[in-house]
Amino acid sequence: MEDPNGGECNQEIVKKFRTHIAMRKPQLDAAEAGSVPKDEMVTTEKKWHIKKFDLYIIKKFLGTFFFALLLLLAIVIIFDINEKLDAMIAAPLYDTVFKYFLNFLPYFANQFSPLFTFISVIYFTSKMADHSEIIAILSSGISFRRLLVPYMVSASVIAIGSFVLAAYIIPPANVKRIEYTNKWVKDRQIDYGDNIQLQVSDGVMAYMARYDNVTKTGYRFSLEKFDGKTMVSRLTAQTIKYDTLGMWQVKDYELREFSGIREQMVKGEKMDTMLNVEPRDFLISSLDQEKLTNPELKRYIDRQKSRGVANIQSFEIEYEKRFANIAAAFILTVIGLSLSSRKVRGGMGVNIGIGLLLSFTYILFSTVTSTFALSGYTSPRVAMWIPNVIYTGIAIYLYRRAAR
């Protein structure tokens, strides 16, 4: 039998203790008779209790975390349906369930997993402190540092799972989710671009006055090749059309090649050319960064930097955030344990209130620093790690204070 908060009733604890004593009685009798060293019995008993203690904390931690997430997702579904009701009525039910919600809920849960890790620690540890379980654990000879071990094991499970989801599993699912929202809710896909200029490779610059992604056609195209500061060739065309991966077709073109003071010119109606460029390299839509796995995101960032593309801060922020969330899970776990391990006047509500306040300040710091990175005031890496650095200092202070 369990109480509503997940803890075991006193009768159940007594029952388990009696069962354990009954199971250990033959060994206890052997110890009394001298056939088994008493020191060995003490060590065995200690290991048994520590193992049960670790499993108890891990079960509490992960159970509270997943229960809180499920509760949140149930609320999110209700509000999301209310907000997008018109679009969901117009969209096919299959698309709404399997393309949107099936992909949206893991995405949303993973975005807030560090904060729910924090809230979960605050909640169940406050309950344990309120029931004097923390006092009993520390009084049995277990240090505060040793008490932290099962918490960090649980945080590791959450952090690793969250990273794998964010880096490899959720991005492909986001493709379907964003496709659904673009089609039925609000189209954020960018299909047009003006005055597009980028570096195709070292010494090769491309320019388009306008590009239409609906027809895959660019207008007033030019491709210039340089050897140092000297132009060696220039290709111009009235239109250029994207065909396949890296393959483009120019129409009404004119190719000029320069060799010293000599110039050779070739004109034609149509020519295929291979360019290491795709429309997604210069048509960057909102949330495109969430469609890429970690290896794809890293390759995209490196390629865009080599081409001189400037507006890739959102991609760099997404990449850094996936790693920053790993550290956040551990930092917030330490803060949560340090805050809620003592029984305080006012009960659990005080700890939960402090936890929610710290959660909101963490979100605020992350939002503000992300804005700084998008504005170019700081690098995305620094922006994503500033909240973790600040909260690491808070965690160290609170841990030392709680350990005393």
Side-chain angles (χ1 to χ4, degrees):
M1 178 179 178
E2 295 188 354
D3 64 19
N5 299 312
E8 295 177 326
C9 294
N10 292 332
Q11 293 179 355
E12 185 67 18
I13 295 173
V14 171
K15 182 179 177 182
K16 285 188 175 184
F17 179 74
R18 287 175 177 173
T19 303
H20 172 63
I21 292 299
M23 292 173 61
R24 306 292 288 170
K25 191 174 186 306
Q27 296 179 3
L28 292 170
D29 292 341
E32 289 296 329
S35 58
V36 178
K38 290 187 177 182
D39 290 343
E40 183 178 331
M41 286 297 303
V42 171
T43 302
T44 304
E45 288 295 314
K46 187 175 181 180
K47 287 182 178 178
W48 185 87
H49 283 300
I50 289 177
K51 182 179 178 182
K52 296 292 289 184
F53 146 73
D54 288 332
L55 292 177
Y56 179 70
I57 296 293
I58 292 171
K59 179 182 175 182
K60 283 270 193 179
F61 194 149
L62 297 180
T64 306
F65 173 78
F66 287 112
F67 177 77
L69 271 185
L70 290 175
L71 187 63
L72 170 71
L73 293 179
I75 298 172
V76 167
I77 289 174
I78 296 173
F79 280 96
D80 202 49
I81 290 176
N82 183 61
E83 182 183 354
K84 301 181 177 71
L85 185 60
D86 293 338
M88 291 180 179
I89 291 175
L93 181 61
Y94 179 88
D95 289 357
T96 301
V97 175
F98 292 99
K99 285 189 176 181
Y100 180 69
F101 276 116
L102 197 63
N103 298 312
F104 169 72
L105 294 179
Y107 162 79
F108 186 88
N110 199 59
Q111 288 288 99
F112 292 93
S113 64
L115 297 183
F116 272 87
T117 300
F118 184 43
I119 293 172
S120 299
V121 172
I122 290 282
Y123 179 78
F124 87 85
T125 307
S126 296
K127 284 300 254 183
M128 290 176 63
D130 195 47
H131 293 162
S132 300
E133 293 178 81
I134 299 294
I135 295 174
I137 290 171
L138 297 176
S139 299
S140 67
I142 295 175
S143 66
F144 194 80
R145 179 182 297 180
R146 180 61 183 83
L147 175 63
L148 185 62
V149 172
Y151 281 84
M152 301 308 281
V153 170
S154 302
S156 299
V157 172
I158 295 172
I160 293 171
S162 178
F163 176 76
V164 171
L165 285 172
Y168 300 101
I169 298 175
I170 291 178
N174 282 340
V175 174
K176 297 180 180 179
R177 176 181 65 85
I178 294 172
E179 178 186 336
Y180 176 93
T181 55
N182 285 340
K183 183 176 181 180
W184 299 105
V185 182
K186 183 178 181 181
D187 190 3
R188 296 182 178 179
Q189 185 71 31
I190 295 178
D191 290 321
Y192 302 94
D194 295 317
N195 297 320
I196 299 165
Q197 184 174 358
L198 72 160
Q199 182 174 297
V200 177
S201 59
D202 290 341
V204 181
M205 300 296 297
Y207 172 81
M208 276 181 278
R210 180 173 173 80
Y211 181 80
D212 182 352
N213 199 41
V214 176
T215 60
K216 306 292 184 184
T217 303
Y219 302 91
R220 294 190 311 190
F221 170 77
S222 68
L223 183 70
E224 299 173 345
K225 295 183 180 179
F226 293 86
D227 182 10
K229 295 183 179 180
T230 305
M231 182 183 295
V232 295
S233 69
R234 187 171 192 266
L235 172 66
T236 59
Q238 291 299 313
T239 61
I240 181 171
K241 189 167 185 178
Y242 180 68
D243 186 11
T244 56
L245 188 64
M247 183 63 71
W248 297 77
Q249 186 180 79
V250 293
K251 294 181 179 180
D252 297 328
Y253 70 90
E254 183 180 279
L255 175 61
R256 293 185 177 186
E257 295 183 347
F258 307 99
S259 178
I261 60 174
R262 294 184 179 182
E263 176 183 344
Q264 183 179 358
M265 184 173 66
V266 178
K267 292 185 178 182
E269 294 183 0
K270 188 183 298 185
M271 180 178 67
D272 292 333
T273 181
M274 177 67 75
L275 298 175
N276 188 25
V277 176
E278 300 176 52
R280 71 171 186 170
D281 292 332
F282 50 82
L283 294 180
I284 301 175
S285 302
S286 175
L287 307 181
D288 276 355
Q289 68 276 8
E290 296 177 356
K291 300 178 184 179
L292 303 178
T293 63
N294 257 34
E296 293 171 341
L297 197 56
K298 186 68 170 67
R299 286 195 298 269
Y300 182 86
I301 292 170
D302 292 341
R303 187 170 68 247
Q304 295 297 79
K305 283 184 175 180
S306 68
R307 290 172 176 168
V309 178
N311 57 337
I312 59 170
Q313 289 90 344
S314 59
F315 292 84
E316 294 178 289
I317 289 172
E318 177 67 21
Y319 184 77
E320 296 297 335
K321 183 171 69 173
R322 294 175 183 179
F323 290 98
N325 282 347
I326 298 177
F330 295 101
I331 295 168
L332 296 177
T333 295
V334 174
I335 294 177
L337 172 61
S338 303
L339 277 176
S340 55
S341 58
R342 291 186 177 183
K343 184 187 293 188
V344 295
R345 183 178 299 176
M348 184 178 60
V350 175
N351 289 332
I352 293 178
I354 296 173
L356 289 175
L357 177 62
L358 287 173
S359 299
F360 287 131
T361 57
Y362 184 88
I363 295 173
L364 178 63
F365 274 126
S366 299
T367 303
V368 171
T369 54
S370 297
T371 303
F372 286 161
L374 290 171
S375 301
Y377 292 113
T378 184
S379 69
R381 177 168 296 178
V382 171
M384 286 297 96
W385 283 90
I386 283 177
N388 284 347
V389 170
I390 294 174
Y391 271 69
T392 297
I394 296 174
I396 293 172
Y397 169 76
L398 292 175
Y399 173 79
R400 289 178 176 176
R401 182 170 175 269
R404 290 197 298 266

